[in-house]
Amino acid sequence: MARLSLTQRSQLAMGVAAALAISGAMSIPWIQIRESIVAQQLQSMRDMSQVWAKTPDISIDRLRFVKGTDAKAAAGDQFLASAFDQFADTPDVFDRYELQYGVDAPLSRYVRALRGDQAERVAKGEAISLDVPDAAWRKLPLTGVFSIERSGVGAARLIWQDRIYILIGGGLAWIGIIVAARLLVVRGYLRAVRRLREVANRVRAGDLSSRSQLRTGDELEQLGNSFNDMVATLDGSQKQLQSMNESLDFKLVQLSEANVGLFESNRLKSEFLANVSHELRTPLNSVIGFAELLAELARKDAAADPKRIRYIEHILKSGRGLLEMINELLDMAKIEAGRMELSVSNANMTDMLEGICAIMRPQADIKKIDLEIQHPDELPTVETDPGKLQQILYNFVSNAIKFSPEGSRVIVRADVWAVDGAPGLRMSVVDSGPGIPLDMQQTIFEKFRQVDASHTKSHGGTGLGLAICRELSTMLGAKLGVESKANKGSMFWVEMPLEFRAKKLPPLMADRAQ
Ligand code: ADP
């Protein structure tokens, strides 16, 4: 049913409805025809029996007279036997007619009751009257019957003939209804629906000026008008959307121009920073160098004023701090300007770890921190830029010492580790410092981010160290991260494959967008 078109469905529905209505209407004449033909046959049989009763000596074919009331006298004739029973039980019935009009030899049969002396007189060959029996006759005892049999061909043919006419008439009426319904549905409705569909198709194809022109003056016209309103609204919204799109395009162009400008100025800034930092380092190195000389001279001079030594050490400490800061700024500027270059070679990790610890030990000693190295006996060599990896580890160790309490322990570990399914190494630095809250564990790897501002005051630093580590590890094809719990210490780690895999740095624009 779902696959049929609207036309087919409406035709089918109308066809079924018309067929039901017509067959309902036909059933009355269908039955009535038989009734009237049977009534007509009965009447002619009655007439014939009247004639025979009045003139018994005329011969009538297939006339049978049975005298007596014994049903057995019917001698196996079913029709007669049941007539006997009926006449005996129901005195009001005086005759009976039956038309057998089946396929084989149609038969027309009539049987008439004889009461009182009627049977006797018929037996003697006397004429009797068979007028419509009165009440007195009905009370008389049943004394016999006579039956007339005739061929029922004529009556049966008449019935079937009339029925065929009814069928033909019904069929013609059905066809007429279908044709009329089709004209009504197709002309009246479906044509309008088709026209509406064509307009809808044109609208779908993008012609928003298309409108329904239905003027049927009924619900279809209303539907067309609603459709027109809808298309008009759609047209309006599309125009609005178009103009918004245009202004968005314009904004996008403006934005990308601004972006290009920003990109350029960021590059210039990084370049400027790199140059300035470089230029700053030269005089600062000479300040530190001369301060170191002065310190050495003062230490050798037994008569030196202790204040002088303290002042020189202040200059040295501040100078070194400043140099470290400038170095970090320079590194970050170089990375952002895409000027940080790699120098890859095979690095002996045992040597590297020991070297870092040797450099950091004096700092650890100041805070009485036990700096311990842990690694398996055999450590594989790693293909990497040793300077950059060292810088990362140096940063981790320096932070660990900076944030760990006096007298605690900092462990520098190396473990054989699978990195993305490839053989690799994991270096980690474990401390027992204040730890890093979970919500800050990603943030600290961003530029200038610190756990809280008080750190800067108590420990110094720019908040650039870990951001540089992250950039460097990306360049080295390594991963880095932290595991930490507040007040329980931290473990900063870097994992890298033994074989160097160059990784592209994320573009500066993306970095800036973070
Ligand atoms: P800086 O140390 O110069 O502030 P970093 O980028 O190296 O910059 O570190 C960022 C911040 O991360 C630090 O300021 C500190 O708040 C936190 N942090 C780093 N290492 C540790 C550590 N081992 N224990 C506790 N906090 C740390």
Side-chain angles (χ1 to χ4, degrees), residues 35-227:
E35 299 292 311
S36 61
I37 285 177
V38 165
Q40 183 200 334
Q41 290 290 312
L42 173 65
Q43 195 50 50
S44 87
M45 286 297 202
R46 275 182 182 158
D47 293 347
M48 200 185 293
S49 63
Q50 296 269 18
V51 173
W52 171 76
K54 279 181 185 141
T55 47
D57 41 342
I58 65 159
S59 107
I60 291 181
D61 257 4
R62 287 152 88 182
L63 182 133
R64 191 168 171 206
F65 166 63
V66 179
K67 192 179 162 204
T69 57
D70 186 0
K72 279 183 197 141
D77 186 333
Q78 272 292 315
F79 178 61
L80 272 189
S82 77
F84 259 122
D85 290 346
Q86 197 179 10
F87 295 150
D89 298 344
T90 334
D92 283 349
V93 181
F94 61 91
D95 63 357
R96 189 170 157 181
Y97 175 76
E98 187 182 66
L99 175 65
Q100 295 166 359
Y101 62 105
V103 185
D104 342 304
L107 196 64
S108 186
R109 296 192 72 185
Y110 176 75
V111 58
R112 166 82 198 219
L114 296 172
R115 291 184 186 273
D117 61 350
Q118 282 181 323
E120 190 58 42
R121 289 173 60 197
V122 169
K124 283 184 193 157
E126 287 176 22
I128 57 166
S129 162
L130 287 181
D131 295 336
V132 177
D134 54 15
W137 181 85
R138 288 179 209 279
K139 282 183 191 140
L140 294 173
L142 183 69
T143 51
V145 295
F146 72 88
S147 79
I148 303 169
E149 257 183 37
R150 291 176 65 200
S151 156
V153 173
R157 188 182 294 144
L158 256 179
I159 290 175
W160 283 118
Q161 222 168 36
D162 287 352
R163 283 184 175 174
I164 285 166
Y165 288 145
I166 289 172
L167 281 179
I168 292 172
L172 288 175
W174 185 76
I175 292 169
I177 289 176
I178 292 297
V179 171
R182 187 183 156 81
L183 285 179
L184 184 79
V185 171
V186 173
R187 291 252 163 91
Y189 296 102
L190 294 181
R191 192 168 291 174
V193 171
R194 254 182 237 144
R195 273 162 57 194
L196 206 57
R197 194 178 59 193
E198 280 162 16
V199 179
N201 283 343
R202 282 204 295 278
V203 170
R204 195 184 54 187
D207 176 12
L208 287 181
S209 61
S210 206
R211 294 286 184 278
S212 154
Q213 307 292 343
L214 287 182
R215 293 290 167 264
T216 51
D218 55 13
E219 285 87 346
L220 283 168
E221 187 178 330
Q222 286 170 11
L223 181 68
N225 291 342
S226 307
F227 181 80

Side-chain angles (χ1 to χ4, degrees), residues 395 399 402-403 431 444 449-451 455 461-463 465-466 492:
N395 214 294
N399 278 344
K402 195 158 72 173
F403 292 104
D431 67 47
I444 50 166
R449 299 299 294 263
Q450 296 177 312
V451 171
H455 276 150
T462 52
L466 290 177
F492 282 84

Side-chain angles (χ1 to χ4, degrees), residues 334-449:
K334 266 190 187 169
I335 289 170
E336 288 195 340
R339 281 177 22 194
M340 184 66 98
E341 274 160 20
L342 288 180
S343 155
V344 178
S345 63
N346 279 332
N348 182 315
M349 296 316 293
T350 319
D351 291 352
M352 186 184 287
L353 295 183
E354 276 165 7
I356 291 169
C357 287
I359 297 170
M360 299 306 295
R361 195 149 276 127
Q363 266 190 51
D365 288 344
I366 295 171
K367 288 179 80 176
K368 297 192 181 56
I369 287 174
D370 180 14
L371 192 57
E372 192 181 318
I373 304 177
Q374 290 180 359
H375 62 75
D377 290 343
E378 287 289 315
L379 268 184
T381 54
V382 179
E383 190 187 8
T384 186
D385 181 328
K388 306 282 184 300
L389 179 57
Q390 206 165 346
Q391 200 175 337
I392 295 172
L393 293 173
Y394 173 82
N395 214 294
F396 287 174
V397 178
S398 150
N399 278 344
I401 294 172
K402 195 158 72 173
F403 292 104
S404 289
E406 280 198 18
S408 62
R409 189 157 69 140
V410 168
I411 302 166
V412 183
R413 284 182 63 96
D415 295 284
V416 175
W417 204 267
V419 181
D420 294 332
L425 215 60
R426 175 191 247 218
M427 268 76 71
S428 46
V429 177
V430 185
D431 67 47
S432 42
I436 297 149
L438 196 65
D439 59 330
M440 289 299 291
Q441 287 182 10
Q442 289 302 316
T443 321
I444 50 166
F445 290 99
E446 289 168 18
K447 281 184 285 181
F448 308 113
R449 299 299 294 263

